[in-house]
C-alpha cells in the first residue's frame, strides 16, 4: 500500500492561487497512475485531475485551463497548481494512487474506483 500525504491547502480569496503537494511513499510516474479528487460538504467526491504512466492528463471540465497536475519523480511528489480559484473550488482535496495502473485497465481514471490508495486530504477554502 502506498502512503500519501497531502499539503498546501489553506484559505485564499477568489482569483488567487494555491499549489497542493502529494508526497508518496512510492511513486514512479512511468509506471503509476495518480489523481487529485475533491469533496465539498454534502457532495460526492469528484475527480479534479489525473495523470497516467505515459504522462497523459485529464481534467474535470470545471477546472480546465485553471488547474495543472504535474509529477516530480525525484521527490516522489505529485503537484496540483490551482489558479484563478473561485468559491466553487472550496473542498477537501485528496490525492489518490493506482500503483502500476492496475485498476486503470478496467476503470476510468476519473472515477474513485480507479484508485486503491488515498491520502487524508487537505482543506482548500476560497472566499469571495
Amino acid at each position: 500500500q502506498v502512503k500519501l500525504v497531502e499539503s498546501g491547502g489553506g484559505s485564499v480569496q477568489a482569483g488567487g492561487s494555491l499549489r497542493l503537494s502529494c508526497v508518496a511513499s512510492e511513486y514512479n510516474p512511468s509506471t503509476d497512475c495518480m489523481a487529485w479528487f475533491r469533496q465539498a460538504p454534502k457532495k460526492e467526491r469528484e475527480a479534479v485531475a489525473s495523470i497516467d504512466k505515459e504522462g497523459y492528463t485529464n481534467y474535470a471540465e470545471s477546472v480546465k485551463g485553471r488547474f495543472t497536475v504535474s509529477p516530480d519523480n525525484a521527490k516522489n511528489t505529485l503537484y496540483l497548481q490551482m489558479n484563478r480559484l473561485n468559491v466553487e473550488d472550496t473542498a477537501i482535496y485528496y490525492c489518490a494512487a493506482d500503483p502500476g495502473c492496475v485498476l486503470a485497465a478496467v476503470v476510468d481514471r476519473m472515477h474513485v474506483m480507479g484508485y486503491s490508495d488515498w491520502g487524508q486530504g487537505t482543506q482548500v477554502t476560497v472566499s469571495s
Side-chain angles (χ1 to χ4, degrees):
Q1 187 174 8
V2 177
K3 182 178 179 181
L4 304 169
V5 180
E6 302 96 334
S7 63
S11 297
V12 64
Q13 288 193 323
S17 299
L18 285 173
R19 188 178 77 160
L20 305 184
S21 299
C22 171
V23 179
S25 57
E26 302 174 41
Y27 177 35
N28 185 339
S30 62
T31 61
D32 301 332
C33 291
M34 299 278 286
W36 285 96
F37 286 75
R38 67 185 180 187
Q39 188 165 17
K42 300 181 180 180
K43 290 189 176 181
E44 292 188 356
R45 192 169 297 190
E46 64 174 0
V48 175
S50 69
I51 183 166
D52 70 9
K53 59 184 179 180
E54 295 170 339
Y56 292 119
T57 55
N58 275 355
Y59 294 93
E61 285 295 326
S62 60
V63 307
K64 278 184 180 177
R66 300 189 298 123
F67 290 11
T68 304
V69 61
S70 61
D72 185 331
N73 191 14
K75 296 182 179 180
N76 277 13
T77 300
L78 184 72
Y79 297 105
L80 183 68
Q81 177 66 44
M82 306 186 295
N83 298 326
R84 303 199 309 277
L85 286 160
N86 57 55
V87 175
E88 290 71 32
D89 295 318
T90 295
I92 298 174
Y93 284 70
Y94 298 91
C95 179
D98 173 21
C101 297
V102 173
L103 296 174
V106 293
V107 182
D108 190 289
R109 288 184 290 112
M110 296 293 277
H111 195 283
V112 292
M113 297 300 293
Y115 299 89
S116 56
D117 303 311
W118 293 82
Q120 293 300 306
T122 185
Q123 176 71 48
V124 171
T125 303
V126 185
S127 58
S128 59

